Amino acid sequence: MGYPHIEHHGAKDGVTGSCHQLDMNATTSLLVDCGLFQGDDASIPSGEGGSRLPIDFPLDSIKALVVTHVHIDHVGRIPYLLAAGFAGPILCSEASAKLLPIVLEDAFKLSFSRDQQRIERYIDIVESRLVALPYQHWFTLVDTEELSARIRLQRAGHILGSAYVEIDLNYPQAGQSKRIVFSGDLGAPHAPFLMPPQSPERADILVLESTYGDRLHEDRQTRRQRLEAVIEQALQDQGTVLIPAFSIGRTQELLYELEEIIHTRSVGASSLTNMLPSETVPASSASVGASSPANSTTDRPPLATEMSATPIPPLSTEERAAPIHPLPPGERAGVRGRETMPENGITSESAGLRSKETSLAISSDAEQPPLPLRERAGERGQKTAQNEAPLAENHSPDQSTTNWPELPIILDSPLASRFTAAYRELKPFWNQGARDRVQSGRRPLAFEQLITIDSHSDHQRIVNHLTQTARPAIVIAGGGMCSGGRIVNYLKAMLGDKRHNVLFVGYQAKGTPGHAIQTYGPKGGYVNLDGERFDIRAGISSIGGYSAHADQNGLVDFVTGMQQWPTEIRVVHGEQRAKEALAEALKQHLPAPFELKL
């Protein structure tokens, strides 16, 4: 066997389960990622549903594990790796070192035990193994007469902390050297929080992801406007908008964009109000589109747990143009406990960190080809006696425009809340635009309308309340592919009601309930959730442009942007069609001969 040699233990013939072993010589190797298989990838081919969780490769030569980023399809098998006897260091970026223990705690609960003492011992082990590497910093892994190996992480622009991996190998006795690059998951431009990836200077061997190797993304620069328009249209059905969301990355981007919509609407409403004669502005309505007096705080139906909450006084006119209603005792991000709150954020304690109530799934941050924005089954939005009264509170008197400054944004995922708190603590790793927003006094991840639900009892009350009243609200709930997590309870309760809508902003892998809902919902179909059939009458929408993965152009640019192009490219982490399409595009753009492996 010639060295270096690469073995693929996952994501070679699919999108999930990323795990690649770089054999540097006969006794020394490096493992890049150790992820969970999901959807149809989770079963052994021709194995009658056999599990792909166990580690089925020898560990004796593996000196270290390097983590490109903390999505579950890249790190979810680490508990099994440790159980199999791996005792080496875990190398990752500084931001990933903050996020990885949260992910692995949840993975351990799902796979091994929910006993808190065992969990804490396991996390202590993980944290003792972590080696946090700054970007652009060379780290020496091996230095012997036979082999010198060093690695460097560079920003990948996929999620906070994501990296691609450069590995320099030198064989002094043979007088040879090689540079190998593992792309991990590469990000798309115009992402909140993140700086875009820059191509490496060179690579001899490139292991390249191909999740979207066969398509181009919709315009990311206008995705906020599309999000706003789709939610506006969905809320005309006078019900709740459900967004299944991945706990890390996608949830934080959604909150960032929703805060921008609310801020823009509030500023616009305030400006218009200031242009009107003071006597023409009703005392109960400080912004255009605000609730009429008949739908004031005292007349509207409260959220299920709201009556037990401590009312929060309105902010000053300078802080917001609309009054704030009391909220349930989840946590009102950025309001409750303001006196003890760090600047522009909330403490991890107030966000419910280390809660025993965790979402059941994190998933790969990818996206499926979007369906038309509004595909519906049957008549929609018909009022009934039970839903007519309580629905006007978030609409202007003509029912045509949502009152965004008063619309509850409910984050119902303790795991996502933990990641959101961690994101706030990682501001130094945000891009300049996001940091500028904070400097201006705004709280993109802790705004006034954001309600975080922690306890399971509050979750059940919110589900019951929104189901019974169809109160206009946006609910972001884990997990992203509807195969577990709190979103499943919302779907069971609301899929059969035409007033509600489900909005997909993420990839739904084949074999998951999310894929079934996205595919068959617009046709009036059904989905099986926990072994029970549920007819789909709710509206189903999908928005493109939210993928955290580079599209075909981005992947090709990553390669052609190198000063020295690779002589070997291994295309992984994609379905066969995507891999083949990317391979053809690379052949067209790289005139120099190179070896291509799919």
Side-chain angles (χ1 to χ4, degrees):
M1 179 188 298
Y3 296 101
H5 174 74
I6 300 174
E7 302 175 76
H8 303 285
H9 303 304
K12 183 178 185 295
D13 301 313
V15 180
T16 64
S18 288
C19 188
H20 314 282
Q21 185 172 347
L22 173 65
D23 295 312
M24 297 178 276
N25 62 22
T27 60
T28 309
S29 66
L30 176 71
L31 199 63
V32 179
D33 289 336
C34 193
L36 194 68
F37 293 97
Q38 296 174 289
D40 288 348
D41 293 342
S43 297
I44 299 173
S46 303
E48 298 182 358
S51 172
R52 300 183 72 176
L53 288 173
I55 301 300
D56 58 0
F57 50 89
L59 306 178
D60 53 316
S61 70
I62 299 174
K63 303 304 180 185
L65 166 68
V66 59
V67 169
T68 61
H69 66 287
V70 302
H71 274 141
I72 202 72
D73 65 321
H74 289 255
V75 301
R77 278 193 291 164
I78 290 179
Y80 294 89
L81 185 69
L82 298 181
F86 173 72
I90 301 173
L91 313 178
C92 63
S93 71
E94 294 172 297
S96 289
K98 175 78 173 179
L99 299 169
L100 186 59
I102 304 174
V103 177
L104 294 184
E105 178 182 335
D106 191 64
F108 188 85
K109 289 177 180 178
L110 291 175
S111 303
F112 290 94
S113 173
R114 299 187 72 87
D115 178 80
Q116 194 60 35
Q117 288 187 341
R118 289 191 65 190
I119 292 169
E120 290 178 1
R121 285 198 301 269
Y122 165 71
I123 294 302
D124 287 343
I125 293 172
V126 169
E127 291 178 338
S128 71
R129 303 276 187 87
L130 286 176
V131 178
L133 301 180
Y135 290 120
Q136 302 180 342
H137 171 77
W138 283 108
F139 174 83
T140 299
L141 184 65
V142 179
D143 190 9
T144 67
E145 292 182 356
E146 182 184 351
L147 171 67
S148 173
R150 59 180 189 159
I151 75 169
R152 180 169 66 177
L153 303 183
Q154 303 278 27
R155 295 179 186 273
H158 178 60
I159 63 170
L160 207 62
S162 60
Y164 65 83
V165 186
E166 296 178 293
I167 305 165
D168 264 0
L169 300 180
N170 287 286
Y171 301 90
Q173 294 176 348
Q176 296 179 349
S177 64
K178 290 282 187 180
R179 178 170 290 186
I180 300 95
V181 174
F182 289 84
S183 73
D185 286 355
L186 297 173
H190 311 296
F193 307 110
L194 305 175
M195 288 170 263
Q198 295 183 344
S199 301
E201 179 185 353
R202 64 183 181 87
D204 295 301
I205 303 172
L206 171 64
V207 180
L208 179 64
E209 70 121 323
S210 59
T211 311
Y212 290 113
D214 61 342
R215 71 199 70 166
L216 303 178
H217 290 325
E218 295 182 54
D219 183 8
R220 291 172 63 88
Q221 291 179 294
T222 61
R223 68 182 190 177
R224 180 180 64 79
Q225 289 87 343
R226 297 198 304 275
L227 175 68
E228 183 176 356
V230 170
I231 291 177
E232 285 275 11
Q233 190 171 22
L235 288 172
Q236 290 179 18
D237 289 339
Q238 301 184 345
T240 296
V241 178
L242 304 177
I243 306 179
F246 306 114
S247 297
I248 182 168
R250 190 63 50 86
T251 289
Q252 291 74 36
E253 289 194 9
L254 279 170
L255 294 178
Y256 188 94
E257 306 250 86
L258 290 169
E259 187 273 343
E260 175 65 15
I261 295 172
I262 292 168
H263 173 78
T264 302
R265 290 295 191 98
S266 297
V267 170
S270 178
S271 299
L272 185 55
T273 297
N274 292 336
M275 293 171 62
L276 298 172
S278 59
E279 63 270 18
T280 66
V281 181
S284 61
S285 178
S287 63
V288 173
S291 304
S292 65
N295 293 307
S296 64
T297 307
T298 55
D299 292 327
R300 64 171 176 81
L303 285 175
T305 56
E306 186 168 330
M307 290 184 290
S308 62
T310 303
I312 301 169
L315 297 176
S316 65
T317 303
E318 291 76 14
E319 289 177 296
R320 231 184 84 192
I324 295 178
H325 297 318
L327 292 170
E331 283 293 343
R332 185 162 195 163
V335 177
R336 186 157 300 170
R338 278 177 93 171
E339 292 75 19
T340 60
M341 185 174 59
E343 181 180 2
N344 298 320
I346 62 176
T347 63
S348 57
E349 288 77 15
S350 65
L353 287 196
R354 300 192 71 83
S355 165
K356 294 183 179 179
E357 299 292 337
T358 60
S359 165
L360 295 179
I362 320 167
S363 204
S364 55
D365 208 2
E367 179 176 296
Q368 184 140 311
L371 296 171
L373 290 184
R374 297 293 296 163
E375 293 193 39
R376 295 179 167 193
E379 287 186 84
R380 303 301 314 282
Q382 295 181 349
K383 288 187 179 181
T384 64
Q386 65 175 348
N387 73 5
E388 190 167 350
L391 299 177
E393 66 205 4
N394 286 301
H395 293 268
S396 60
D398 63 2
Q399 297 292 304
S400 62
T401 304
T402 301
N403 180 12
W404 283 88
E406 295 299 322
L407 183 67
I409 313 296
I410 300 170
L411 177 57
D412 194 351
S413 168
L415 189 60
S417 296
R418 293 182 64 183
F419 283 125
T420 302
Y423 259 60
R424 287 195 292 269
E425 295 172 9
L426 292 168
K427 288 190 191 76
F429 296 94
W430 294 9
N431 63 22
Q432 190 59 50
R435 294 200 301 271
D436 287 346
R437 188 174 292 192
V438 173
Q439 289 297 317
S440 71
R442 290 165 59 184
R443 297 188 290 271
L445 294 179
F447 49 92
E448 308 298 343
Q449 291 78 11
L450 179 60
I451 305 165
T452 60
I453 302 300
D454 187 8
S455 75
H456 185 71
S457 59
D458 281 348
H459 159 70
Q460 291 288 0
R461 282 194 288 269
I462 290 293
V463 171
N464 294 338
H465 178 75
L466 294 178
T467 301
Q468 293 166 8
T469 66
R471 174 180 180 171
I474 297 173
V475 175
I476 303 170
M481 296 188 191
C482 307
S483 54
R486 292 185 173 181
I487 191 64
V488 174
N489 289 334
Y490 286 99
L491 294 172
K492 289 178 178 179
M494 298 183 181
L495 273 180
D497 190 333
K498 297 177 182 179
R499 298 172 297 178
H500 302 300
N501 283 263
V502 181
L503 172 58
F504 289 105
V505 294
Y507 177 67
Q508 305 301 308
K510 291 181 180 178
T512 63
H515 182 268
I517 295 169
Q518 190 181 53
T519 303
Y520 302 111
K523 304 172 185 178
Y526 67 90
V527 63
N528 288 313
L529 298 170
D530 293 336
E532 185 178 354
R533 170 173 167 162
F534 292 87
D535 293 330
I536 305 170
R537 298 187 182 92
I540 308 299
S541 304
S542 298
I543 297 181
Y546 273 86
S547 173
H549 284 267
D551 61 8
Q552 185 184 92
N553 285 344
L555 294 169
V556 170
D557 288 347
F558 181 78
V559 181
T560 59
M562 299 182 190
Q563 295 179 25
Q564 178 183 322
W565 292 338
T567 55
E568 178 183 333
I569 300 177
R570 294 185 172 222
V571 180
V572 298
H573 200 286
E575 296 178 356
Q576 190 63 28
R577 181 179 62 183
K579 292 165 64 177
E580 291 173 354
L582 178 59
E584 288 302 315
L586 289 170
K587 290 176 183 177
Q588 295 176 14
H589 287 85
L590 294 176
F594 64 95
E595 183 180 4
L596 186 64
K597 296 182 179 180
L598 301 183

